[in-house]
Amino acid sequence: GRKRGGTHGAPAPRLDADRPLAIVRSEDSWALAWAVRAESVAPPGRLTVWVDALDGAAIAVRDEIRRGIATDTPLTLNASHEPRRAGDAEVVSALPFFDAGDGGQSFVSDTAGAIVVPVTGANRTLDLGLRGPFVSVVFWDGSSAAAVQVTSGVPAEFVWDGLSASLSERDAAISHAVVRTRMKRMAPDLTWLDERVGILTDIPDSDGCNAFWTGSEAQFYADSPTCNATARIADVVYHEIGHGLHQNLAVGGNPPGDVGEGSADYLAATITGDPDIGPSFFKNSPDGIRNLEPDLVFPDDVTDEPHLDGLIWGGAFWDLRTRLVARLVRRFGVRPLRAILAAMKVRGMSLYSS
């Protein structure tokens, strides 16, 4: 005979021997009902159907398979990195706005590097990369990738370290997050800051000692006999990403070379609080490659080299900032000064190319 209910390969419905009769609520009343077990193969199902003992009508249905209920589980993404200089002792910091996903669903960490992951079942494995909506960090010969297993209900942490990515990649990822935060405070309505910026690290070169902004991507050279890998130096990352800010703020595109270099140095100095730009760039010296502190003036100190002439421009802003700090912080505190400096930087860097 034909099997009733279920699908091909499933047993026919049968009375539940453990509970054949029960009193079951039927709408606004109670009824005596048979417990009938029905199973299916695809999709898998195990139902108990309560059938009215008098007229055979189905009163209620219960799925005996406990379907997966997602448990929201916290995951934190961090990175071990050098805080500023090549050779600094590594610290662990949050990775804000970085991706995690498993093909079926993707997540982005918040400003604290945190993600809430819905986990159905015992655990869930997520794929990771040094990539997010605002940056993609790639090593010269290919991007690094990792995976983390999140156990349901158990807070998880993944730390990018030497086993999962190069030091240059990790340093660049953190430095970009720092400089983007500063730039968002300066120019919150600039749409470029919400686009993905490419960062390429460890470009092999026998001379090394360089980094540059291509107009859409920051590129950093590998370690050389003379210089440390430039992505490992936070000031250099701030400087190169700063060129992107100036390019997108300036009227007509890129500003003059000396003004652009000086502005990029100044941006880096406002983050570190130090006029010495790029300490640990050269392996034989702990000092930076440029310094905004000396009082260079136009036209006496012009050399026609953009980085050096930029010190006249950047140094003027550094001197102005130093005087504002000395006068305003003592009298009014930090918050008014921050507002003035932010307005000064945005207006200055958007007007100089006119």
Side-chain angles (χ1 to χ4, degrees):
R2 272 174 57 187
K3 294 181 179 177
R4 298 168 54 199
T7 61
H8 181 70
R14 64 189 186 281
L15 290 178
D16 189 335
D18 295 330
R19 46 185 180 182
L21 278 173
I23 298 176
V24 179
R25 187 171 184 83
S26 175
E27 297 181 352
D28 297 328
S29 62
W30 296 90
L32 189 63
W34 297 101
V36 178
R37 176 68 60 82
E39 299 182 13
S40 63
V41 174
R46 188 180 305 129
L47 304 178
T48 296
V49 182
W50 302 98
V51 178
D52 192 300
L54 297 179
D55 61 17
I59 298 174
V61 178
R62 181 167 66 192
D63 191 345
E64 301 295 347
I65 297 178
R66 187 181 178 191
R67 303 295 172 179
I69 299 175
T71 300
D72 287 344
T73 304
L75 166 65
T76 303
L77 302 181
N78 294 323
S80 179
H81 66 102
E82 298 164 308
R84 183 185 178 194
R85 303 167 179 83
D88 281 350
E90 292 185 36
V91 298
V92 175
S93 299
L95 270 179
F97 308 115
F98 278 78
D99 293 340
D102 59 4
Q105 191 174 13
S106 60
F107 309 92
V108 177
S109 61
D110 64 15
T111 56
I115 299 172
V116 176
V117 182
V119 180
T120 301
N123 53 65
R124 183 174 186 177
T125 300
L126 300 179
D127 297 321
L128 307 174
L130 285 173
R131 176 185 176 91
F134 308 126
V135 70
S136 176
V137 182
V138 178
F139 191 77
W140 170 251
D141 61 359
S143 57
S144 295
V148 59
Q149 181 172 281
V150 181
T151 301
S152 179
V154 180
E157 177 189 26
F158 183 85
V159 179
W160 286 90
D161 57 18
L163 298 177
S164 48
S166 71
L167 191 51
S168 292
E169 290 172 281
R170 291 177 276 132
D171 285 351
I174 291 292
S175 295
H176 175 269
V178 171
V179 70
R180 180 181 178 274
T181 298
R182 171 55 60 91
M183 293 187 299
K184 283 292 285 185
R185 290 171 57 188
M186 293 166 55
D189 298 326
L190 183 63
T191 58
W192 174 75
L193 292 174
D194 295 323
E195 299 173 4
R196 180 181 289 128
V197 171
I199 291 180
L200 183 63
T201 74
D202 296 283
I203 300 172
D205 186 277
S206 57
D207 296 325
C209 299
N210 204 359
F212 55 93
W213 173 253
T214 68
S216 60
E217 180 180 74
Q219 299 189 352
F220 301 90
Y221 280 54
D223 181 274
S224 75
T226 304
C227 302
N228 288 298
T230 51
R232 294 177 56 191
I233 305 160
D235 297 33
V236 177
V237 179
Y238 302 155
H239 175 103
E240 298 304 336
I241 299 298
H243 282 313
L245 174 68
H246 313 146
Q247 170 187 315
N248 286 277
L249 277 178
V251 176
N254 287 317
D258 48 5
V259 173
E261 296 300 336
S263 298
D265 280 351
Y266 175 69
L267 172 64
T270 65
I271 296 173
T272 64
D274 184 359
D276 195 31
I277 308 300
S280 78
F281 190 93
F282 295 108
K283 289 184 174 180
N284 63 356
S285 172
D287 298 330
I289 51 177
R290 293 184 292 278
N291 197 305
L292 297 177
E293 191 66 56
D295 292 327
L296 302 180
V297 297
F298 178 88
D300 299 356
D301 296 306
V302 171
T303 66
D304 292 327
E305 198 291 314
H307 293 85
L308 297 180
D309 291 347
L311 294 174
I312 300 173
W313 175 268
F317 276 94
W318 180 257
D319 289 346
L320 177 58
R321 179 184 186 275
T322 300
R323 286 161 174 73
L324 283 171
V325 169
R327 294 185 181 185
L328 294 181
V329 171
R330 182 172 61 250
R331 185 173 179 184
F332 300 109
V334 174
R335 293 184 66 183
L337 173 65
R338 286 178 175 168
I340 292 172
L341 290 176
M344 178 185 76
K345 285 179 283 189
V346 172
R347 291 171 186 166
M349 288 187 287
S350 63
L351 291 176
Y352 53 55
S353 63
S354 301

